[in-house]
Amino acid sequence: MPIDYGVTIPLIYICSLGILVLIAEITFRNSEPVSYWASILGLAGIAVLMFPGFNPVMGWPAVTGLGGLFCVLFTAAAFLTVIFSRDYMRRNGSEHGEYYLMIIFSVAGMMLMALATDLIMLFLGLELMSICLYVLAGYLRKRLSGNEASLKYFLLGAFITGFILYGIALIYGSTGSLSIDRLVERMQTPGQPALFWTGVSLLLGGFAFKVGAFPFHMWIPDVYQGAPTPVTAFMATGAKTAAFSVLVMVFTRRAAADADLLRDVIAYLAAGSMVVGNILAITQENVKRMLAYSSIAHAGYMLVGIAAGSANGSDGVTFYLVSYLFMNIGALGIVSMLEEKEEQRLSYDDYAGLSGRNPVLASLMAIFLFSLAGLPPFGGFFGKYFVFVAAIETGLTWLAILGVLASLAGVYYYLRLVMVMFFQESERPATASVHALAVTALIAAALINLQLGVLPSSIISLIQNLR
């Protein structure tokens, strides 16, 4: 069997960057600026080099398949996170070079997950990503809520790791193989033993926790609220995309009759996530916590495409992940600019009159919120459209209808924040830490969302060619 060396290219790139930043930390006395710019330039270069079909040197293996696209998304999430992090960490007195190292090596774990061909490598990637995120969640160690977030995430994550590892053991015991292709082949073959489906169920439950799906969602609001806001953005986009890359790889290629029960389980996970996430988001007065609960709802929307278990469902989820990454990291990036020390300026009232004080940030925030709500002509609209159509095509019409109704509920709390920014005045206006590079990144994210809404066929065609 020929070896596809292109699979190793993203890992070589990102690990080389991590080693470079580590050397900078050791070499320079004042290493923070060096680590920051090395991370920025390195991540930008890696995203370009890994873009599907790009081959910088004739004969050099190119990155192919959906795994290559996912690696670009992980790198883009890290790139934007680093941009939003510098001023935020300076305000909180915690700008250190190891912060950028943790982000880079967590991306290495995400890439290992997306490119894995067997369950052990998948597990190693998951643990590398998770350990880095445990540290990043509590990075502001003097903040009590950050310590609580890190500890809660670590304890629950360690507990769920046992489920995933036990599921892998049961799958290996029933199939005699750790190959993901072999796992998918068995899922498509009728008459598999109960031991096999138990292992698959444990694996599904573990990754449902990682994406923050109901009923494994209770860690999301506390961890997202307590973590530094740029880290929250990274967890809500990069880490969620990594977990969904595994779900797309494993659970959208089902054909056996025995898999009908599995389809129903995923459908109920999706339904519960959409309903619970949207209802609880409506009741929030803290913007960061509202976005945390909304991420549960978005996990539900994407699980609709996973439940469809078809090629169109896989394409829809991948498109959704592309649009969700840029709209959610953009919204949380603006939150990080407005937030002050000790988690101040995070309530709805603090955003009152923002359009008068900073019309650029208010307009960009409105674009990201419209896209999160699923309104045209933004990428979020077609993300939901594609997964709902895939559900209808596979007989899950009830789930698509529930998704539309849940989306209507979600429109309320997104538009509420827009109304506050544009039509209310505040007696204690919030000031934003605005820098040219961060604003440029926000504008780029908004334009990508608009392009995904106006020309969705461009990214859908790319996804279908990579499938």
Side-chain angles (χ1 to χ4, degrees):
M1 181 178 178
I3 299 174
D4 182 8
Y5 290 101
V7 173
T8 65
I9 297 301
L11 293 169
I12 293 173
Y13 287 156
I14 198 69
C15 291
S16 298
L17 176 60
I19 293 171
L20 180 65
V21 175
L22 182 60
I23 292 173
E25 281 294 297
I26 297 171
T27 305
F28 297 96
R29 182 181 298 273
N30 185 23
S31 61
E32 287 79 10
V34 178
S35 298
Y36 171 76
W37 285 109
S39 300
I40 288 288
L41 297 176
L43 289 168
I46 290 172
V48 173
L49 291 173
M50 289 192 310
F51 197 81
F54 185 86
N55 191 345
V57 180
M58 189 63 66
W60 185 250
V63 183
T64 58
L66 278 180
L69 177 61
F70 283 126
C71 288
V72 173
L73 294 180
F74 306 148
T75 309
F79 174 77
L80 293 171
T81 300
V82 170
I83 289 177
F84 298 138
S85 294
R86 191 180 193 188
D87 292 324
Y88 182 92
M89 290 302 174
R90 281 181 172 178
R91 289 198 304 273
N92 288 276
S94 296
E95 187 193 10
H96 305 292
E98 59 265 25
Y99 173 83
Y100 306 117
L101 272 174
M102 288 293 103
I103 291 177
I104 291 169
F105 282 114
S106 67
V107 172
M110 295 173 191
M111 289 181 177
L112 198 55
M113 291 171 64
L115 299 172
T117 57
D118 69 77
L119 295 172
I120 291 298
M121 297 308 295
L122 172 63
F123 179 75
L124 290 176
L126 176 65
E127 286 305 289
L128 176 57
M129 177 192 75
S130 298
I131 290 171
C132 293
L133 292 179
Y134 298 152
V135 175
L136 289 170
Y139 191 78
L140 300 178
R141 59 183 182 274
K142 295 181 181 179
R143 182 186 291 180
L144 184 61
S145 61
N147 293 332
E148 179 186 350
S150 180
L151 184 60
K152 182 175 292 187
Y153 190 26
F154 168 71
L155 292 176
L156 292 175
F159 179 73
I160 213 68
T161 294
F163 281 81
I164 295 175
L165 202 54
Y166 191 50
I168 291 174
L170 293 180
I171 292 170
Y172 178 73
S174 58
T175 65
S177 172
L178 291 169
S179 168
I180 292 176
D181 287 338
R182 180 63 173 164
L183 166 62
V184 173
E185 180 184 329
R186 284 297 188 100
M187 290 176 66
Q188 295 174 337
T189 305
Q192 296 302 313
L195 188 68
F196 172 80
W197 288 112
T198 302
V200 170
S201 300
L202 289 172
L203 193 66
L204 173 62
F207 281 96
F209 171 87
K210 293 298 180 181
V211 302
F214 174 87
F216 309 99
H217 67 286
M218 292 307 296
W219 65 276
I220 288 279
D222 293 337
V223 173
Y224 280 20
Q225 183 180 8
T229 304
V231 174
T232 299
F234 187 53
M235 293 169 63
T237 54
K240 192 181 289 286
T241 301
F244 265 108
S245 71
V246 176
L247 293 177
V248 168
M249 180 168 48
V250 176
F251 291 99
T252 57
R253 294 184 285 173
R254 308 183 310 274
D258 294 353
D260 287 345
L261 178 59
L262 183 62
R263 184 190 73 165
D264 292 340
V265 170
I266 298 174
Y268 291 131
L269 290 175
S273 301
M274 291 186 293
V275 172
V276 171
N278 280 305
I279 290 177
L280 294 179
I282 289 175
T283 65
Q284 303 304 310
E285 295 295 330
N286 182 294
V287 173
K288 193 174 173 183
R289 199 170 180 87
M290 177 271 287
L291 291 172
Y293 276 111
S294 79
S295 74
I296 299 170
H298 285 284
Y301 301 137
M302 286 182 266
L303 283 172
V304 172
I306 302 295
S310 64
N312 287 337
S314 172
D315 295 343
V317 174
T318 306
F319 182 93
Y320 202 123
L321 287 168
V322 175
S323 59
Y324 179 76
L325 185 148
F326 290 103
M327 61 190 175
N328 200 46
I329 206 168
L332 284 165
I334 293 175
V335 172
S336 71
M337 292 180 182
L338 294 171
E339 183 181 347
E340 296 180 358
K341 294 181 66 174
E342 303 301 327
E343 300 178 278
Q344 299 296 314
R345 305 296 188 186
L346 287 174
S347 70
Y348 274 77
D349 292 338
D350 293 323
Y351 284 72
L354 181 62
S355 61
R357 301 188 303 277
N358 197 317
V360 174
L361 281 188
S363 300
L364 289 170
M365 187 65 161
I367 290 173
F368 296 132
L369 292 173
F370 289 150
S371 190
L372 285 165
L375 301 178
F378 302 106
F381 170 78
F382 280 102
K384 292 178 181 178
Y385 171 79
F386 288 135
V387 295
F388 292 161
V389 167
I392 293 171
E393 290 174 346
T394 54
L396 292 172
T397 305
W398 68 271
L399 188 59
I401 293 174
L402 181 62
V404 172
L405 295 176
S407 297
L408 293 176
V411 169
Y412 167 76
Y413 54 83
Y414 291 126
L415 293 189
R416 178 190 170 197
L417 183 55
V418 174
M419 295 287 290
V420 168
M421 290 190 299
F422 284 88
F423 300 106
Q424 287 187 19
E425 293 297 331
S426 174
E427 296 180 357
R428 49 191 188 98
T431 57
S433 177
V434 180
H435 291 269
L437 185 58
V439 173
T440 302
L442 289 172
I443 293 173
L447 290 176
I448 291 173
N449 256 294
L450 184 60
Q451 190 268 342
L452 291 173
V454 175
L455 295 172
S457 58
S458 58
I459 188 67
I460 278 291
S461 298
L462 174 63
I463 292 169
Q464 291 173 342
N465 291 333
L466 294 174
R467 189 197 312 152

